[in-house]
PDB file of all heavy atoms in Angstrom:
ATOM      1  N   ARG A  23      61.774 -42.389 233.395  1.00  0.00           N
ATOM      2  CA  ARG A  23      61.760 -41.434 234.409  1.00  0.00           C
ATOM      3  C   ARG A  23      60.587 -40.459 234.205  1.00  0.00           C
ATOM      4  O   ARG A  23      59.889 -40.167 235.266  1.00  0.00           O
ATOM      5  CB  ARG A  23      63.061 -40.495 234.307  1.00  0.00           C
ATOM      6  CG  ARG A  23      64.248 -41.235 234.696  1.00  0.00           C
ATOM      7  CD  ARG A  23      65.485 -40.186 234.645  1.00  0.00           C
ATOM      8  NE  ARG A  23      66.670 -41.025 235.099  1.00  0.00           N
ATOM      9  CZ  ARG A  23      67.885 -40.438 234.863  1.00  0.00           C
ATOM     10  NH1 ARG A  23      68.100 -39.286 234.380  1.00  0.00           N
ATOM     11  NH2 ARG A  23      69.060 -41.169 235.323  1.00  0.00           N
ATOM     12  N   GLY A  26      57.712 -42.428 235.549  1.00  0.00           N
ATOM     13  CA  GLY A  26      57.627 -42.569 236.882  1.00  0.00           C
ATOM     14  C   GLY A  26      57.290 -41.257 237.745  1.00  0.00           C
ATOM     15  O   GLY A  26      56.503 -41.256 238.703  1.00  0.00           O
ATOM     16  N   GLY A  31      59.491 -32.528 236.429  1.00  0.00           N
ATOM     17  CA  GLY A  31      60.295 -31.497 235.584  1.00  0.00           C
ATOM     18  C   GLY A  31      59.365 -30.351 235.332  1.00  0.00           C
ATOM     19  O   GLY A  31      59.783 -29.098 235.415  1.00  0.00           O
ATOM     20  N   TYR A  56      60.569   3.400 245.872  1.00  0.00           N
ATOM     21  CA  TYR A  56      61.832   4.178 246.380  1.00  0.00           C
ATOM     22  C   TYR A  56      62.324   5.151 245.379  1.00  0.00           C
ATOM     23  O   TYR A  56      63.557   5.804 245.621  1.00  0.00           O
ATOM     24  CB  TYR A  56      62.868   3.132 246.750  1.00  0.00           C
ATOM     25  CG  TYR A  56      62.457   2.505 248.013  1.00  0.00           C
ATOM     26  CD1 TYR A  56      62.016   1.212 247.979  1.00  0.00           C
ATOM     27  CD2 TYR A  56      62.802   3.050 249.242  1.00  0.00           C
ATOM     28  CE1 TYR A  56      61.640   0.478 249.127  1.00  0.00           C
ATOM     29  CE2 TYR A  56      62.436   2.376 250.399  1.00  0.00           C
ATOM     30  CZ  TYR A  56      61.886   1.086 250.300  1.00  0.00           C
ATOM     31  OH  TYR A  56      61.587   0.359 251.628  1.00  0.00           O
ATOM     32  N   GLU A  65      73.894   8.313 239.952  1.00  0.00           N
ATOM     33  CA  GLU A  65      73.992   9.490 239.102  1.00  0.00           C
ATOM     34  C   GLU A  65      74.962  10.633 239.720  1.00  0.00           C
ATOM     35  O   GLU A  65      75.379  11.538 239.110  1.00  0.00           O
ATOM     36  CB  GLU A  65      72.655  10.014 238.739  1.00  0.00           C
ATOM     37  CG  GLU A  65      71.913  10.675 239.840  1.00  0.00           C
ATOM     38  CD  GLU A  65      70.607  11.331 239.194  1.00  0.00           C
ATOM     39  OE1 GLU A  65      70.139  10.930 238.154  1.00  0.00           O
ATOM     40  OE2 GLU A  65      70.073  12.232 239.905  1.00  0.00           O
ATOM     41  N   TRP A 103      78.070  28.538 225.637  1.00  0.00           N
ATOM     42  CA  TRP A 103      77.766  29.665 224.817  1.00  0.00           C
ATOM     43  C   TRP A 103      77.805  30.970 225.738  1.00  0.00           C
ATOM     44  O   TRP A 103      77.556  32.032 225.231  1.00  0.00           O
ATOM     45  CB  TRP A 103      76.385  29.687 224.092  1.00  0.00           C
ATOM     46  CG  TRP A 103      75.183  29.509 225.092  1.00  0.00           C
ATOM     47  CD1 TRP A 103      74.441  30.464 225.681  1.00  0.00           C
ATOM     48  CD2 TRP A 103      74.584  28.211 225.547  1.00  0.00           C
ATOM     49  NE1 TRP A 103      73.428  29.936 226.388  1.00  0.00           N
ATOM     50  CE2 TRP A 103      73.559  28.627 226.393  1.00  0.00           C
ATOM     51  CE3 TRP A 103      74.995  26.879 225.333  1.00  0.00           C
ATOM     52  CZ2 TRP A 103      72.840  27.673 227.012  1.00  0.00           C
ATOM     53  CZ3 TRP A 103      74.221  25.948 225.952  1.00  0.00           C
ATOM     54  CH2 TRP A 103      73.127  26.348 226.800  1.00  0.00           C
ATOM     55  N   GLY A 130      56.750  40.521 237.075  1.00  0.00           N
ATOM     56  CA  GLY A 130      55.487  39.762 237.047  1.00  0.00           C
ATOM     57  C   GLY A 130      55.756  38.292 237.505  1.00  0.00           C
ATOM     58  O   GLY A 130      56.804  37.712 237.089  1.00  0.00           O
ATOM     59  N   GLY A 158      61.173  43.395 248.414  1.00  0.00           N
ATOM     60  CA  GLY A 158      61.511  44.790 248.308  1.00  0.00           C
ATOM     61  C   GLY A 158      61.270  45.422 246.851  1.00  0.00           C
ATOM     62  O   GLY A 158      61.726  46.606 246.556  1.00  0.00           O
ATOM     63  N   GLN A 180      53.962  46.323 250.291  1.00  0.00           N
ATOM     64  CA  GLN A 180      53.892  47.623 249.499  1.00  0.00           C
ATOM     65  C   GLN A 180      54.514  47.425 248.217  1.00  0.00           C
ATOM     66  O   GLN A 180      55.562  46.710 247.967  1.00  0.00           O
ATOM     67  CB  GLN A 180      54.656  48.745 250.309  1.00  0.00           C
ATOM     68  CG  GLN A 180      54.723  50.070 249.598  1.00  0.00           C
ATOM     69  CD  GLN A 180      55.374  51.064 250.436  1.00  0.00           C
ATOM     70  OE1 GLN A 180      55.852  50.883 251.426  1.00  0.00           O
ATOM     71  NE2 GLN A 180      55.586  52.314 249.849  1.00  0.00           N
ATOM     72  N   ARG A 185      46.496  40.081 240.428  1.00  0.00           N
ATOM     73  CA  ARG A 185      45.403  40.300 239.391  1.00  0.00           C
ATOM     74  C   ARG A 185      44.916  38.804 239.095  1.00  0.00           C
ATOM     75  O   ARG A 185      45.755  37.959 238.927  1.00  0.00           O
ATOM     76  CB  ARG A 185      45.897  40.812 238.150  1.00  0.00           C
ATOM     77  CG  ARG A 185      46.535  42.292 238.230  1.00  0.00           C
ATOM     78  CD  ARG A 185      46.540  43.059 237.038  1.00  0.00           C
ATOM     79  NE  ARG A 185      47.247  44.363 237.248  1.00  0.00           N
ATOM     80  CZ  ARG A 185      46.582  45.504 237.802  1.00  0.00           C
ATOM     81  NH1 ARG A 185      45.390  45.337 238.241  1.00  0.00           N
ATOM     82  NH2 ARG A 185      47.386  46.595 237.865  1.00  0.00           N
ATOM     83  N   ASP A 197      45.767  19.013 228.831  1.00  0.00           N
ATOM     84  CA  ASP A 197      45.337  20.320 228.091  1.00  0.00           C
ATOM     85  C   ASP A 197      45.489  21.581 228.891  1.00  0.00           C
ATOM     86  O   ASP A 197      45.793  22.650 228.431  1.00  0.00           O
ATOM     87  CB  ASP A 197      44.015  20.040 227.621  1.00  0.00           C
ATOM     88  CG  ASP A 197      43.651  18.992 226.570  1.00  0.00           C
ATOM     89  OD1 ASP A 197      44.576  18.773 225.792  1.00  0.00           O
ATOM     90  OD2 ASP A 197      42.737  18.196 226.713  1.00  0.00           O
ATOM     91  N   GLY A 211      51.152  40.129 225.578  1.00  0.00           N
ATOM     92  CA  GLY A 211      50.900  41.084 224.533  1.00  0.00           C
ATOM     93  C   GLY A 211      49.916  42.010 224.991  1.00  0.00           C
ATOM     94  O   GLY A 211      49.479  43.031 224.276  1.00  0.00           O
ATOM     95  N   GLN A 213      47.929  43.517 229.055  1.00  0.00           N
ATOM     96  CA  GLN A 213      48.137  44.237 230.281  1.00  0.00           C
ATOM     97  C   GLN A 213      49.461  43.737 230.957  1.00  0.00           C
ATOM     98  O   GLN A 213      50.203  44.646 231.428  1.00  0.00           O
ATOM     99  CB  GLN A 213      47.087  44.043 231.334  1.00  0.00           C
ATOM    100  CG  GLN A 213      47.112  44.936 232.533  1.00  0.00           C
ATOM    101  CD  GLN A 213      45.994  44.803 233.455  1.00  0.00           C
ATOM    102  OE1 GLN A 213      45.190  43.789 233.278  1.00  0.00           O
ATOM    103  NE2 GLN A 213      45.861  45.639 234.401  1.00  0.00           N
ATOM    104  N   ALA A 218      54.921  45.017 233.301  1.00  0.00           N
ATOM    105  CA  ALA A 218      55.983  44.214 233.889  1.00  0.00           C
ATOM    106  C   ALA A 218      57.140  44.452 233.004  1.00  0.00           C
ATOM    107  O   ALA A 218      57.077  44.326 231.722  1.00  0.00           O
ATOM    108  CB  ALA A 218      55.597  42.789 234.110  1.00  0.00           C
ATOM    109  N   GLN A 228      54.174  24.202 244.187  1.00  0.00           N
ATOM    110  CA  GLN A 228      55.563  24.308 244.807  1.00  0.00           C
ATOM    111  C   GLN A 228      55.403  25.594 245.689  1.00  0.00           C
ATOM    112  O   GLN A 228      54.397  26.244 245.694  1.00  0.00           O
ATOM    113  CB  GLN A 228      56.652  24.368 243.618  1.00  0.00           C
ATOM    114  CG  GLN A 228      56.275  25.550 242.595  1.00  0.00           C
ATOM    115  CD  GLN A 228      57.250  25.374 241.413  1.00  0.00           C
ATOM    116  OE1 GLN A 228      58.194  24.552 241.396  1.00  0.00           O
ATOM    117  NE2 GLN A 228      56.986  26.037 240.337  1.00  0.00           N
ATOM    118  N   LEU A 246      67.466  24.330 235.362  1.00  0.00           N
ATOM    119  CA  LEU A 246      67.948  23.164 235.186  1.00  0.00           C
ATOM    120  C   LEU A 246      66.916  22.149 236.122  1.00  0.00           C
ATOM    121  O   LEU A 246      66.686  22.327 237.248  1.00  0.00           O
ATOM    122  CB  LEU A 246      69.347  22.938 235.711  1.00  0.00           C
ATOM    123  CG  LEU A 246      70.399  23.695 234.850  1.00  0.00           C
ATOM    124  CD1 LEU A 246      71.725  23.576 235.472  1.00  0.00           C
ATOM    125  CD2 LEU A 246      70.325  23.296 233.445  1.00  0.00           C
ATOM    126  N   TYR A 260      63.997  14.208 226.303  1.00  0.00           N
ATOM    127  CA  TYR A 260      63.439  14.967 225.141  1.00  0.00           C
ATOM    128  C   TYR A 260      62.395  14.290 224.292  1.00  0.00           C
ATOM    129  O   TYR A 260      62.284  13.004 224.402  1.00  0.00           O
ATOM    130  CB  TYR A 260      64.621  15.445 224.208  1.00  0.00           C
ATOM    131  CG  TYR A 260      65.666  16.312 224.854  1.00  0.00           C
ATOM    132  CD1 TYR A 260      67.037  15.951 224.585  1.00  0.00           C
ATOM    133  CD2 TYR A 260      65.418  17.388 225.532  1.00  0.00           C
ATOM    134  CE1 TYR A 260      68.072  16.772 225.180  1.00  0.00           C
ATOM    135  CE2 TYR A 260      66.374  18.133 226.118  1.00  0.00           C
ATOM    136  CZ  TYR A 260      67.713  17.873 225.923  1.00  0.00           C
ATOM    137  OH  TYR A 260      68.696  18.621 226.416  1.00  0.00           O
ATOM    138  N   ALA A 268      58.231  19.273 218.624  1.00  0.00           N
ATOM    139  CA  ALA A 268      59.145  19.343 219.651  1.00  0.00           C
ATOM    140  C   ALA A 268      60.326  18.412 219.709  1.00  0.00           C
ATOM    141  O   ALA A 268      61.246  18.434 220.515  1.00  0.00           O
ATOM    142  CB  ALA A 268      58.433  19.090 221.082  1.00  0.00           C
ATOM    143  N   ASP A 316      53.943  20.744 227.178  1.00  0.00           N
ATOM    144  CA  ASP A 316      54.670  22.036 226.847  1.00  0.00           C
ATOM    145  C   ASP A 316      55.997  22.076 227.218  1.00  0.00           C
ATOM    146  O   ASP A 316      56.834  22.848 226.639  1.00  0.00           O
ATOM    147  CB  ASP A 316      53.881  23.212 227.770  1.00  0.00           C
ATOM    148  CG  ASP A 316      53.739  22.949 229.136  1.00  0.00           C
ATOM    149  OD1 ASP A 316      53.681  21.764 229.465  1.00  0.00           O
ATOM    150  OD2 ASP A 316      53.672  23.925 229.948  1.00  0.00           O
ATOM    151  N   ASN A 321      61.793  22.806 225.840  1.00  0.00           N
ATOM    152  CA  ASN A 321      63.046  22.456 225.692  1.00  0.00           C
ATOM    153  C   ASN A 321      63.595  22.629 224.173  1.00  0.00           C
ATOM    154  O   ASN A 321      64.794  22.947 223.888  1.00  0.00           O
ATOM    155  CB  ASN A 321      63.295  20.922 226.080  1.00  0.00           C
ATOM    156  CG  ASN A 321      63.596  20.889 227.539  1.00  0.00           C
ATOM    157  OD1 ASN A 321      64.681  20.834 227.933  1.00  0.00           O
ATOM    158  ND2 ASN A 321      62.520  20.682 228.461  1.00  0.00           N
ATOM    159  N   SER A 327      67.017  28.627 220.623  1.00  0.00           N
ATOM    160  CA  SER A 327      67.229  30.037 221.123  1.00  0.00           C
ATOM    161  C   SER A 327      67.894  29.832 222.377  1.00  0.00           C
ATOM    162  O   SER A 327      67.142  29.616 223.402  1.00  0.00           O
ATOM    163  CB  SER A 327      66.014  30.772 221.161  1.00  0.00           C
ATOM    164  OG  SER A 327      65.525  30.847 219.804  1.00  0.00           O
ATOM    165  N   SER A 334      70.450  27.162 238.565  1.00  0.00           N
ATOM    166  CA  SER A 334      70.704  25.763 239.136  1.00  0.00           C
ATOM    167  C   SER A 334      69.640  25.130 239.847  1.00  0.00           C
ATOM    168  O   SER A 334      68.658  25.772 240.075  1.00  0.00           O
ATOM    169  CB  SER A 334      71.932  25.954 240.230  1.00  0.00           C
ATOM    170  OG  SER A 334      71.381  26.453 241.454  1.00  0.00           O
ATOM    171  N   THR A 347      75.390  17.251 247.958  1.00  0.00           N
ATOM    172  CA  THR A 347      76.260  18.395 248.529  1.00  0.00           C
ATOM    173  C   THR A 347      76.242  19.637 247.785  1.00  0.00           C
ATOM    174  O   THR A 347      76.454  20.801 248.444  1.00  0.00           O
ATOM    175  CB  THR A 347      77.736  17.946 248.625  1.00  0.00           C
ATOM    176  OG1 THR A 347      78.208  17.511 247.272  1.00  0.00           O
ATOM    177  CG2 THR A 347      77.903  16.666 249.578  1.00  0.00           C
ATOM    178  N   ILE A 349      73.638  21.143 246.498  1.00  0.00           N
ATOM    179  CA  ILE A 349      72.496  21.799 246.871  1.00  0.00           C
ATOM    180  C   ILE A 349      72.563  22.354 248.213  1.00  0.00           C
ATOM    181  O   ILE A 349      72.277  21.716 249.215  1.00  0.00           O
ATOM    182  CB  ILE A 349      71.196  20.863 246.542  1.00  0.00           C
ATOM    183  CG1 ILE A 349      71.179  20.253 245.148  1.00  0.00           C
ATOM    184  CG2 ILE A 349      69.963  21.618 246.694  1.00  0.00           C
ATOM    185  CD1 ILE A 349      71.160  21.285 244.004  1.00  0.00           C
ATOM    186  N   ALA A 357      56.011  20.946 246.025  1.00  0.00           N
ATOM    187  CA  ALA A 357      55.003  20.483 247.197  1.00  0.00           C
ATOM    188  C   ALA A 357      54.745  18.818 246.813  1.00  0.00           C
ATOM    189  O   ALA A 357      54.993  18.449 245.698  1.00  0.00           O
ATOM    190  CB  ALA A 357      53.683  21.193 247.048  1.00  0.00           C
TER     191      ALA A 357
END
Side-chain angles (χ1 to χ4, degrees):
R23 288 179 180 175
Y56 287 97
E65 78 174 12
W103 60 92
Q180 184 178 1
R185 303 196 187 283
D197 295 323
Q213 185 180 15
Q228 49 193 353
L246 294 181
Y260 297 130
D316 57 331
N321 274 274
S327 302
S334 76
T347 56
I349 307 300

